[in-house]
Amino acid sequence: MKAAIIVFPGTNRERDMKIALERASGHAPAMLFHRETELPAGTDLVVLPGGFSYGDYLRCGAMAAQSPIMAAVRAHADRGGLVLGVCNGFQIMIEAGLLPGGLLRNATLRFLSMDCRMRVERAGTPFTGRWQKGATFRAPMAHGDGNYFADEATLDRLEGEGLVAFRYVDDRGEVTPEANRNGSARNIAGILSPNLRMCGLMPHPEDLVDPLMGGEDGLPMFESLVESLAETA
Amino acid sequence: MSAPAPLDAARAQQLAAEFGLKPEEYERVLVILGRTPSLTELGVFSVMWSEHCSYKSSRVWLRELPTKAPWVIQGPGENAGVIDIGEGLAAVFKMESHNHPSYIEPYNGAATGVGGILRDVFTMGARPIANLNALRFGSPDAPRMKQVIDGVVRGIGGYGNCVGVPTVGGEVNFHPAYNGNPLVNAMTVGIAHSDRIFLSAAAGVGNPVVYVGSKTGRDGIHGATMASAEFSADSEEKRPTVQIGDPFAEKLLIEACLELMATDAIVAIQDMGAAGLTSSGVEMASKGGVGIELFMERVPQREEGMSAYEMMLSESQERMLMILKPGREPEAEAIFRKWELDFAVIGHLTNSGRIVIRHNGVVEADIPLAPLESEAPLYRRPIADTPRSPILEAGDIPDPVGVLPALKSLVGSLDLCSRRWIWDQYDSLVNGQTVQRPGGADAAVVKIEGRKRALAMTTDCTPRYCYADPEEGGRQAVTEAWRNLTAVGAQPLAITDNMNFGNPEKPEIMGQFAAAVRGMASACHTLDFPVISGNVSLYNETEGRGILPTPAIGGVGVLEDAAQAIGLAFDAGLDLVLLGETHGWLGQSLWLREIAGREEGAPPPVDLAAERRAGDFVRARILDGTITACHDVSDGGLLVAVAEMAMGKGVGVALEPAPETIPPHAFWFGEDQGRYVVAVASADDLKIAAAGAGVPAYRLGRTGGGALALDGQGSISVNELRAAHEATLPALMGG
């Protein structure tokens, strides 16, 4: 795996992501400042990590989406390269037009910092290979604007094409309003691009990769990526 | 050099009073200058001599606190204190109040409190790894109070979440004494290399004085003076003195400063906190014994037409002042530009021993630094001792409701209910090193990235004890912090103190202060737990009524291996043992207040020798794996502690009856100090070991099932307790 983590002004979960990628792959990812215009040669995974790029001013992710590095990220995506966006990274992907929909203010109108449970809706992708469809796992969430929104046609298309990656569920694995703390449309926590090479999600699997920090529920996502890249190499 | 244009003498005298200078203090200004001051000079004197900056009422007492230990690298007097935590690393920490601004404008008051304490820590060369807080609110029914609670919590979260430092712990109390004056104390803990600590003493005549960070605006002018005055009905009009925080700018400032600190370009650095450019410029030059000359037109400005006076007094946030080595400006500037921050050389050091402020070629201030510091007012104010409260006899206080109904009420009461509503709004995990999250243990545990080592941290104070007996309360606050660190298995190392009191000009308030310091000092001595930094907030009064004396303590300890840390939740199938002596002390207990409706009596005394024995025993048994869950007994007493442990993992416990020598309600809800409830495989083995260490041990019962069952008194399901515990704050604050 040759991963690059993009650091925007205000990004703050880049080190969490670095730890998770290192733990799964044994390799340190490159840390790339937003002013760069090229990815390191041979980059096979680009990660847009969480944080508050540009302070969430204007609109979450809107300014970061215009950063110099994003042209290179888009070219990487166009070549079928892997892109993972978590939390603010998901917001940036949406603002950059890499994934559809929008992320609104949480329905509670409060910042939500707590563990949630997600159900794997699409197995067999580079991001979910280690899970069975229907498997559930825990991940911390920490966001003020994670309320996924799209028009009905887009939601129907995402569902129809199997592009919903993860949904918020309760402890029994059921899709319920109570499990959907931020109010996302159809409990959607994460989505995939049509070619399954890009994934954006709000919760933070990278913060649950060590038993010492409360568990390894998030580790399969990074192991899936490592495995997927090993297969294609 | 031409002297600045003085104010008209009568006008200067009137302004001095408005700026909070006492008549005799103003006389000293005239003597030092030998003339009437200019407006800018009067501003400089008034903020430097404010209570907030000069500690003029508290300094004589603070000297009594122990500040030294072999592991203390930097004690009080710098931006933050520093301790050696082994492996070439240092922990840097401090707690600071933002009480007055948080009442006037809760969101920004609390947010900038977090921002200010973060700067105090990264100024020293440390990367902040955790934030904590200590909050005191009034009765939720009091005017504006829900709005204050909501705004303060949002403000702390809004700043800490954005800047990417996890908020891992804290404490909250509610009491009508804070109705018009809530307390917001914020603490930051950072990690640095012990041989790379940055200090504030300027050096090197001719060296450039550099301003970095955000631009200067008109916000917060005279904030330090406001923080040194009592509140009155017109406090609303003081809103323009509250600063506005920009956590995004702070995040950039952290990264830029740490990047520059990795080079050797910096001679000295200080954040522009209270009194902004004035205090940073004056203090850096004074500490270094040099002079400083500043050119105001070079200060990055957010607004048009600002005067020297406004720029010197502004408390705009996210700004730092640095002295660089000569010739290093270009590389420093490149780093700050990379992070899209302002960078300006605004002056240089001189050998004049004076601070000279110029603006567009005109001298606006010219003050000798030595007397500004040495002639600063220092008061040994009159003190009056707090009258002793009677010791209540448990046998004289009947139990009106029974033990289990009282337990259910207590776990849902404001001071004991779950704080989940609050911490669910704080990012407690960012950086990926949080081992013990909020609510999971007596202290937060945060690992040091790339090492096995971890820091434990806590904030503590029991204001109702301090009000009844300030010395005992001061002693208890320090001891409780030590106990909470011990309860996760950490070796307690040092504290920071945040002294929140009323008007020091009242002898009874100054008496509380002096007694609290005496009590704190005794605990610091016996527990080898020195004070390495702190902050004093006085004049916490509204309409002449003081708050409860609140010496909030922030404690830090170290664990050599984060994996050895334990939490408070027990598993099933274990023996539950109480360590420490129980008499059934009901005076000042929450049971007495919440169930019997009485706020009275002497608080429980702290026996420091017994504390030390019990704590050292508990820590050793945690580290050798004998104790698998631990919770100190504090607010609410023994049964509340057991209930909190049961609610952790939803595991019940069957409890033995109370010993016949103590009335049951006093046994279960008394707040005797120096006690821990621990879960172990075998109570018998632990009791033998405890006897050898001189620590009383009492087997409470066996864990398991889904209910808290009390022999002879019935039972209550853990789910029912949890429902009562969790419902209070969401119901109050609307979800």
Side-chain angles (χ1 to χ4, degrees), chain B residues 57-70:
Chain B
S57 301
S58 58
R59 261 189 298 160
V60 294
W61 301 106
L62 294 174
R63 286 176 193 151
E64 295 181 10
L65 291 168
T67 59
K68 293 190 168 62

Side-chain angles (χ1 to χ4, degrees), chain A residues 38-54:
Chain A
E38 284 177 32
L39 299 172
T43 298
D44 48 25
L45 168 67
V46 171
V47 182
L48 306 179
F52 288 69
S53 59
Y54 291 96

